[in-house]
Amino acid sequence: MSFLTNHYVLSFIKFAILATLGEIIASSIRAKKLTIPHSIGYRMLIWGLLGVWIAFMMGLFAKGVGVKLADSNSAILHTKFAFAFITSLVMNTSFGPVFMVLHKHTDTYLDLRYENTGEKITLQKICSKIDYYAYAKNVLIGTIPTFWLPAHTITFLLPEGFRVFFAALLSICLGIILSLKSK
């Protein structure tokens, strides 16, 4: 297998480009002009690494849910929609919150590093800067059930080869939605 056809290398590239593009679009909409967020190279690297993790977890959840549903005697659970919905539900209620809080920590680290050049950034500083109530309200109660659960249900209805690409496109969509909502 060639380096550039490796599933995880491609996932890194897709997320590094598309998710970072989503951040650029979102910040540009908020600023009403083309705006490149600070630390763009680091953001691309982080998104790429997160993309590898997402690809791995999507495969893990799809295979695991597929095996569990195959053991079921219920005809309803053997449908493509049941597979897609349950996979999305399990992934978004277990992996989703962990992923999103880690991503919030990486963004906050970059913000603090940018604002406090040369100063040591500790986990305590990162955690004290994050509003965990807002995280719970906006992410756990807001975007996971209203955006990610239905969006990933659609993702898992797609053929396996298109899922990671579609997930990367979803990050652009959410960035646009959140930037319009914040106006």
Side-chain angles (χ1 to χ4, degrees), residues 88-100:
S88 179
L89 179 67
V90 172
M91 187 176 82
N92 280 296
T93 56
S94 56
F95 168 68
V98 174
F99 167 82
M100 290 183 183

Side-chain angles (χ1 to χ4, degrees), residues 82-115:
F83 163 77
F85 177 76
I86 293 170
T87 305
S88 179
L89 179 67
V90 172
M91 187 176 82
N92 280 296
T93 56
S94 56
F95 168 68
V98 174
F99 167 82
M100 290 183 183
V101 80
L102 174 68
H103 186 239
K104 183 67 175 169
H105 278 240
T106 61
D107 278 353
T108 303
Y109 171 81
L110 291 177
D111 291 343
L112 287 170
R113 191 168 170 255
Y114 178 76
E115 295 163 5

Side-chain angles (χ1 to χ4, degrees), residues 156-175:
F156 286 108
L157 286 169
L158 297 172
E160 190 175 346
F162 293 99
R163 292 176 186 162
V164 172
F165 177 70
F166 187 71
L169 288 175
L170 288 173
S171 62
I172 293 175
C173 296
L174 182 63

Side-chain angles (χ1 to χ4, degrees), residues 51-153:
V52 171
W53 190 28
I54 290 166
F56 179 80
M57 296 306 283
M58 287 179 81
L60 183 69
F61 282 103
K63 295 262 190 276
V65 170
V67 167
K68 293 304 287 180
L69 292 181
D71 291 343
S72 168
N73 293 327
S74 171
I76 293 172
L77 294 179
H78 288 261
T79 65
K80 191 170 177 121
F81 180 78
F83 163 77
F85 177 76
I86 293 170
T87 305
S88 179
L89 179 67
V90 172
M91 187 176 82
N92 280 296
T93 56
S94 56
F95 168 68
V98 174
F99 167 82
M100 290 183 183
V101 80
L102 174 68
H103 186 239
K104 183 67 175 169
H105 278 240
T106 61
D107 278 353
T108 303
Y109 171 81
L110 291 177
D111 291 343
L112 287 170
R113 191 168 170 255
Y114 178 76
E115 295 163 5
N116 306 300
T117 307
E119 191 177 312
K120 184 178 180 185
I121 308 302
T122 64
L123 181 59
Q124 185 175 9
K125 285 182 184 177
I126 294 168
C127 290
S128 65
K129 176 114 178 174
I130 296 172
D131 181 350
Y132 289 98
Y133 170 76
Y135 164 78
K137 180 181 171 201
N138 297 328
V139 174
L140 300 179
I141 297 169
T143 59
I144 287 178
T146 63
F147 181 80
W148 289 116
L149 180 60
H152 282 141
T153 299

